[in-house]
């Protein structure tokens, strides 16, 4: 399968479903939260800034849906742990998890990175996703069609100089998601996949490539439609990576 099925947002295929998006206040996360809301989902929006969450809430209401706002720094592992129980008490299940929160980290030679910079990048990009899995897995298994999408990057496969912490964490996120997919494959209806956004018009991309013309890049809203398609109950693939630049769904090959 090389192409995703079209996401028919007009039919609101996610009506009655609960979707959690981390890093939901800007860029890819915000666009994804709105796409899920427009498709009918109640969005549980995770972000550090209350003001930005409230602005997102206004946009979600304008789209005809509703949201639960969770001001949370994803480095707060105990807060993520408490989240699962709180969501169970309120909703009884979770249908969609989009692990989007991430930081670029230091663009520095590995030998010159400060330990705190290394630890902070791993905490946000990798450890937080594991904490979300630990907290949300039981809720996603209660869904009739649980879907999880973790955001990767082409950097995971390039080993480009000076991108060490970011590349290392994204490579690890891919193994994390694939392991989770295999663990639940035969015991639940949960499907776990990854997406590689490629170059997207975001603040993180501008920080990494300050001389690049952002108008030459796809907007986050374009990517969000592909994430939405991966979250639909009708999408049955698992353990795969959707490569947005080539618009193709890829299986992971074992090295020769």
């Amino acid at each position: 399968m090389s192409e995703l099925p079209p996401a028919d947002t007009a039919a609101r295929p996610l009506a009655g479903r609960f979707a959690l998006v981390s890093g939901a206040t800007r860029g890819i996360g915000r666009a994804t939260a709105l796409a899920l809301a427009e498709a009918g989902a109640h969005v549980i929006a995770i972000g550090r800034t209350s003001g930005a969450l409230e602005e997102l809430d206004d946009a979600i209401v304008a789209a005809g849906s509703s949201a639960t706002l969770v001001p949370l720094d994803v480095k707060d592992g105990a807060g993520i742990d408490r989240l699962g129980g709180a969501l169970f008490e309120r909703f009884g299940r979770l249908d969609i998890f989009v692990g989007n929160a991430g930081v670029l980290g230091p663009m520095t030679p590995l030998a010159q990175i400060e330990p705190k910079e290394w630890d902070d990048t791993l905490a946000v990009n990798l450890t937080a996703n594991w904490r979300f899995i630990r907290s949300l897995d039981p809720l996603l298994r209660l869904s009739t069609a649980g879907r999880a999408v973790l955001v990767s990057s082409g950097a995971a496969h390039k080993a480009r100089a000076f991108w060490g912490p970011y590349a290392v964490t994204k490579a690890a996120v891919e193994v994390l998601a694939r392991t989770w997919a295999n663990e639940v494959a035969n015991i639940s209806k949960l499907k776990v996949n990854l997406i590689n956004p490629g170059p997207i018009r975001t603040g993180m991309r501008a920080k990494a490539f300050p001389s690049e013309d952002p108008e030459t890049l796809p907007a986050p809203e374009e990517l969000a439609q592909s994430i939405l398609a991966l979250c639909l109950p009708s999408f049955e693939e698992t353990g795969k990576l959707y490569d947005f630049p080539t618009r193709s769904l890829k299986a992971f090959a074992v090295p020769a």
Side-chain angles (χ1 to χ4, degrees), residues 152-159 166 170 174 196-198 243:
S152 186
S153 168
H157 307 277
K158 295 176 181 176
Y166 184 76
K170 289 303 184 179
E174 290 194 352
N196 169 34
D243 185 62

Side-chain angles (χ1 to χ4, degrees), residues 198-234:
I200 299 291
R201 196 186 311 159
T202 64
M204 183 185 293
R205 177 74 184 185
K207 183 179 178 181
F209 298 93
S211 62
E212 185 176 56
D213 180 1
E215 295 304 315
T216 64
L217 305 177
E221 290 74 16
E222 296 177 55
L223 173 68
Q225 291 303 309
S226 291
I227 296 176
L228 168 59
L230 294 170
C231 294
L232 294 175
S234 58

Side-chain angles (χ1 to χ4, degrees), residues 174-195:
E174 290 194 352
V175 176
L176 183 75
R178 293 166 62 198
T179 301
W180 187 22
N182 286 332
E183 288 174 349
V184 301
N186 298 318
I187 58 175
S188 83
K189 297 178 181 179
L190 173 59
K191 310 299 181 184
V192 181
N193 291 288
L194 294 138
I195 190 161

Side-chain angles (χ1 to χ4, degrees), residues 18-20 36 94-100 129 132-133 136-137 140-141 143 145-151 176-178 180-181 184 188-195 226-233 235 237-242:
F18 304 107
L20 185 148
L36 295 171
L94 183 67
D95 300 294
I96 295 164
F97 165 52
V98 179
N100 164 74
N129 277 309
F132 275 119
I133 291 171
L136 303 178
D137 173 88
L140 288 161
R141 294 192 194 202
S143 173
R147 300 291 181 265
V149 180
L150 275 65
V151 177
L176 183 75
R178 293 166 62 198
W180 187 22
V184 301
S188 83
K189 297 178 181 179
L190 173 59
K191 310 299 181 184
V192 181
N193 291 288
L194 294 138
I195 190 161
S226 291
I227 296 176
L228 168 59
L230 294 170
C231 294
L232 294 175
F235 188 77
E237 298 283 347
T238 193
K240 305 291 179 59
L241 182 141
Y242 185 72

Side-chain angles (χ1 to χ4, degrees), residues 32-165:
T32 299
L34 286 172
L36 295 171
E38 289 166 357
H42 175 90
V43 177
I44 299 130
I46 310 293
R48 291 183 299 171
T49 309
S50 295
L53 284 170
E54 290 168 3
E55 291 176 3
L56 173 63
D57 185 48
D58 290 341
I60 287 173
V61 171
S65 194
S66 59
T68 297
L69 308 181
V70 183
L72 178 68
D73 187 330
V74 297
K75 290 189 289 185
D76 178 3
I80 294 175
D81 292 347
R82 292 191 296 270
L83 182 62
L87 294 178
F88 178 75
E89 290 181 3
R90 182 167 180 181
F91 302 118
R93 71 176 197 277
L94 183 67
D95 300 294
I96 295 164
F97 165 52
V98 179
N100 164 74
V103 294
L104 184 61
M107 306 288 287
T108 309
L110 288 169
Q112 298 176 19
I113 296 169
E114 293 295 327
K116 185 179 186 306
E117 294 177 312
W118 177 268
D119 291 344
D120 285 349
T121 308
L122 264 68
V124 174
N125 292 0
L126 177 59
T127 303
N129 277 309
W130 165 69
R131 295 297 284 253
F132 275 119
I133 291 171
R134 185 171 178 267
S135 184
L136 303 178
D137 173 88
L139 297 176
L140 288 161
R141 294 192 194 202
L142 292 172
S143 173
T144 57
R147 300 291 181 265
V149 180
L150 275 65
V151 177
S152 186
S153 168
H157 307 277
K158 295 176 181 176
R160 181 184 293 158
F162 313 125
W163 285 68

